[in-house]
Amino acid sequence: MSQCRARSLQRLLRCKHASGSKASCSRLVLGIETSCDDTGAAVMDETGTILGESLHSQKEVHLRSGGIIPTVAQQLHRENIERVVQEALDRSGVTPAELCAVATTVKPGLALSLGVGLQFSQRFVREHNKPFIPIHHMEAHALTVRMLHPLTFPFLVLLVSGGHSLLAVARGVRDFLLLGHTLDEAPGDTLDKVARRLSLRKHPQCFTLSGGQAIELLAKDGDRKRFGFRTPMGQTPDCCFSFTGLRNQITMLIKKKEAEEGVEEGTLLSCVNDIAAATQHTVALHLAKRTHRAVLFCKANDLLPSDNPTLVLSGGVASNHYIRKALMIITEATGLRLLCPPAKFCTDNGVMIAWNGVERLREGNGILPPDVDVSYEPKAPLGVDISAEVRAAAIRLPSIQLKIPN
Ligand code: KG4
Ligand code: ZN
């Protein structure tokens, strides 16, 4: 950036408001999220106080159509983004002129969804002459917890959502070491597909719930031991994940049970609670075992502080209490502290994007003038990938009794 452009960016980044809004004279950030099926916006001050937020979920529509259709998601983002942003601004009592910057998810995610948020934001920052902060969706999930707890870098983070499953060491706002990632699909995607295959939308308690929520609810009354699924990648001593093999095992069991009960695909099985419980248990075991190895790798390589080493669990699937309890067993056995944001900040929202904008603003890192063209990136790895080194270390896990309370 030329010196002249850098100076004009510095001018734009000064606090613009004095009174009238809820905030004192602290720099204000508008965060915008449209990477998947939630249109979210929030206004936050530099201390992390949420001044106003709004969220429009497309869940109902996608549940009805049996999965996210990208063109439908794009259309719904288009229909809602203006209103959602205006609502967040109105609730905060902040005008566009008073904002210091706009932060928007630009990667990774569904191309058509990312495009709507990015196009809206670039128009907005040009119209109001505001700096733009392009946000990595997974960095935002990883750092949300710092808005709620005084947590310093570095820390270990397990992010599990509908699109991702990864273990990383967060060393700074934009500095991550990727220890492992999914080799096929993400756990939320697996839970959504299993829920669809089980036709849980027909279940009277589940028709408004996401797949993961439905499985968690039904599993409460199920016997997790009735059906034994193999935990994935038992012979691979790394921190990567795989879920398609598990989904295959579950689908085969469902077909067998349909044949035994003499019912067609699409009928609710009598053993649906037990299948949900066994599914959730195996997902939890897989996540816990890979995380256990990640903790041991971090300890062997001095990647975490000796004082209060922390595991952060976040992303939509982290709302699951059974999975939280499984991870708690690992952190207690290895001397780590476990931190999870509350469920509403685990699933996608505008607040986490605004917070990431605040973190970047505080560091003066990755802030662009309004006229710079930015492209979205549907695929974007998180940080420096050292999963090959983790695999080469071939750390064997000591046996831990994973007796997860229901
Ligand atoms: O982070 P998120 O809102 O969106 C993505 O970035 O993907 O995560 C959505 C995923 C969905 O697959 C949903 O089924 C899953 O999170 N999920 C859950 C629970 N609540 C949401 N999975 C398991 N247990 C839950 N309670
Ligand atoms: Zn997400």
Side-chain angles (χ1 to χ4, degrees), residues 129-147:
N129 197 26
K130 298 293 166 188
F132 183 56
I133 311 178
I135 300 290
H136 190 299
H137 183 80
M138 301 315 287
E139 287 180 8
H141 270 308
L143 301 190
T144 308
V145 70
R146 280 166 47 89
M147 176 181 92

Side-chain angles (χ1 to χ4, degrees), residues 33 35-38 68 137-138 141 160-164 186-192 209-217 280 314-321 323 343 346-349 352:
E33 158 65 30
S35 69
C36 188
D37 58 348
D38 292 301
I68 299 174
H137 183 80
M138 301 315 287
H141 270 308
V160 276
S161 69
H164 293 87
D189 194 16
T190 306
L191 295 173
D192 292 341
L209 303 182
S210 68
Q213 288 170 321
I215 299 242
E216 177 169 24
L217 182 75
Q280 176 177 261
S314 193
V317 178
S319 334
N320 184 292
H321 291 92
I323 290 172
C346 279
T347 45
D348 292 350
N349 61 82
M352 71 185 206

Side-chain angles (χ1 to χ4, degrees), residues 166-216:
L166 59 87
L167 277 158
V169 179
R171 301 193 299 183
V173 172
R174 300 181 80 188
D175 180 6
F176 290 81
L177 282 181
L178 186 64
L179 307 180
H181 50 85
T182 185
L183 303 176
D184 38 57
E185 65 190 29
D189 194 16
T190 306
L191 295 173
D192 292 341
K193 284 174 174 155
V194 169
R196 276 207 293 282
R197 183 61 185 80
L198 286 168
S199 302
L200 297 189
R201 258 187 69 68
K202 293 186 182 163
H203 195 287
Q205 287 175 287
C206 299
F207 60 96
T208 59
L209 303 182
S210 68
Q213 288 170 321
I215 299 242
E216 177 169 24

